[in-house]
Amino acid sequence: MGKIIAMANQKGGVGKTTTTINLAASLATLEKKVLVVDADPQANASSGLGVDIKQADCTIYECLINRADVRKALHDTEIDTLKVISSHINLVGAEIEMLNLPNREKILKEVLAPLKDDFDYILIDCSPSLGLITVNALTAADSVIIPVQAEYFALEGISKLLNTIKIIKSKLNPSLEIEGFLLTMYDSRLRQANQIYDEVKRHFQELVFKTVIQRNVKLSEAPSFGLPTILYDADSTGARNHMALAKELISRNQEKAL
């Protein structure tokens, strides 16, 4: 039975998509079967893993709105054990189309149900909003990773997200847990970055991943080649950081299972 993890933070530019792509690729390299669900209309996770979104006939949009067969939406990537369900710009209007559907908050959960046994990890890349699609992702998920940018306004908005998680937990998904807070775009030379890390750690303690994702040029270059960083430059800091994150995630889940 696979674990569904949503990457969520309504603040844009905190590294959600970068983390989704590279964590997924690292988990797949560690011989886990991984699926990335691109639930962001910008479709950056899809193109960052080499999916030509113009050629995709069946996307997450068709699965949510038309209840298309989710298996037809699976795309291969450069890594055998990593698949993608791509997004589409139509997803922008999907929230309005879903408003009148029964159980509208649970549609994504129903869509992903047939795939849960086929994968070890299903990672959902959420858009930077707390709209209906993100609510669907959090309702479908077992846990949520919250990327936090290592800069001054990092903790702004987290309380809003935590409040949303609390509401979803009480009304829609009682088993939803916070997998962890992940510090991204970290520059150890900056005193401020260290202060932010200490502050996040003080607030959330054991929920903060030990691994931090450092600022790295290769991380921002790789998506333009449609590759995760581990295939673009396996020795880069970005690739090594995400591999460490994948190992930490696996060992955390093994400890919980004991």
Side-chain angles (χ1 to χ4, degrees):
M1 180 72 93
K3 180 167 198 179
I4 302 179
I5 302 175
M7 295 281 169
N9 189 335
Q10 78 276 18
K11 196 171 187 293
V14 297
K16 281 188 296 293
T17 302
T18 302
T19 303
T20 305
I21 292 171
N22 291 293
L23 174 58
S26 300
L27 287 166
T29 308
L30 293 167
E31 298 181 347
K32 300 292 180 190
K33 290 185 190 142
V34 187
L35 171 64
V36 167
V37 179
D38 191 348
D40 183 347
Q42 294 176 68
N44 292 338
S46 308
S47 55
L49 284 167
V51 176
D52 184 351
I53 42 183
K54 293 188 187 76
Q55 301 298 318
D57 295 329
C58 188
T59 68
I60 193 66
Y61 173 81
E62 282 78 20
C63 295
L64 290 170
I65 303 301
N66 307 330
R67 291 307 177 96
D69 179 356
V70 69
R71 293 185 193 283
K72 289 186 178 154
L74 296 176
H75 291 270
D76 294 330
T77 68
E78 295 279 332
I79 303 171
D80 287 346
T81 53
L82 175 58
K83 309 283 180 213
V84 186
I85 295 177
S86 71
S87 181
H88 194 279
I89 191 66
N90 287 354
L91 209 57
V92 169
E95 303 207 340
I96 295 162
E97 293 178 69
M98 288 163 76
L99 283 176
N100 298 321
L101 297 176
N103 273 342
R104 61 188 182 195
E105 296 90 356
K106 297 188 175 176
I107 297 171
L108 183 58
K109 184 175 186 162
E110 289 162 17
V111 164
L112 295 179
L115 299 175
K116 251 196 131 172
D117 289 338
D118 298 350
F119 293 94
D120 299 308
Y121 290 96
I122 297 175
L123 304 183
I124 308 174
D125 185 30
C126 298
S127 66
S129 76
L130 292 177
L132 187 52
I133 305 271
T134 300
V135 168
N136 260 267
L138 293 171
T139 304
D142 300 302
S143 66
V144 53
I145 289 177
I146 302 170
V148 179
Q149 192 176 351
E151 62 166 43
Y152 184 65
F153 294 114
L155 294 174
E156 257 194 13
I158 283 188
S159 58
K160 202 185 263 183
L161 175 62
L162 292 178
N163 200 36
T164 303
I165 290 170
K166 197 169 158 187
I167 293 165
I168 286 169
K169 215 171 147 65
S170 68
K171 294 191 163 48
L172 295 164
N173 183 4
S175 57
L176 181 65
E177 291 181 344
I178 292 175
E179 189 73 46
F181 291 84
L182 174 70
L183 239 76
T184 60
M185 304 179 199
Y186 183 80
D187 187 341
S188 56
R189 295 167 304 179
L190 300 178
R191 198 172 77 204
Q192 189 185 46
N194 294 307
Q195 285 171 343
I196 300 290
Y197 181 79
D198 291 342
E199 194 175 343
V200 174
K201 190 84 178 144
R202 196 177 73 243
H203 273 280
F204 304 111
Q205 295 162 1
E206 294 309 306
L207 286 174
V208 182
F209 283 103
K210 292 187 181 74
T211 307
V212 295
I213 308 300
Q214 291 163 274
R215 279 195 181 278
N216 179 236
V217 176
K218 298 285 193 250
L219 269 183
S220 42
E221 285 177 0
S224 60
F225 293 89
L227 291 171
T229 314
I230 199 161
L231 295 184
Y232 179 65
D233 183 351
D235 289 329
S236 66
T237 304
R240 288 203 305 268
N241 287 166
H242 285 94
M243 185 55 83
L245 176 64
K247 288 175 178 169
E248 185 176 353
L249 179 68
I250 291 167
S251 74
R252 273 186 179 206
N253 283 290
Q254 281 169 344
E255 280 167 28
K256 279 181 197 165
L258 293 175

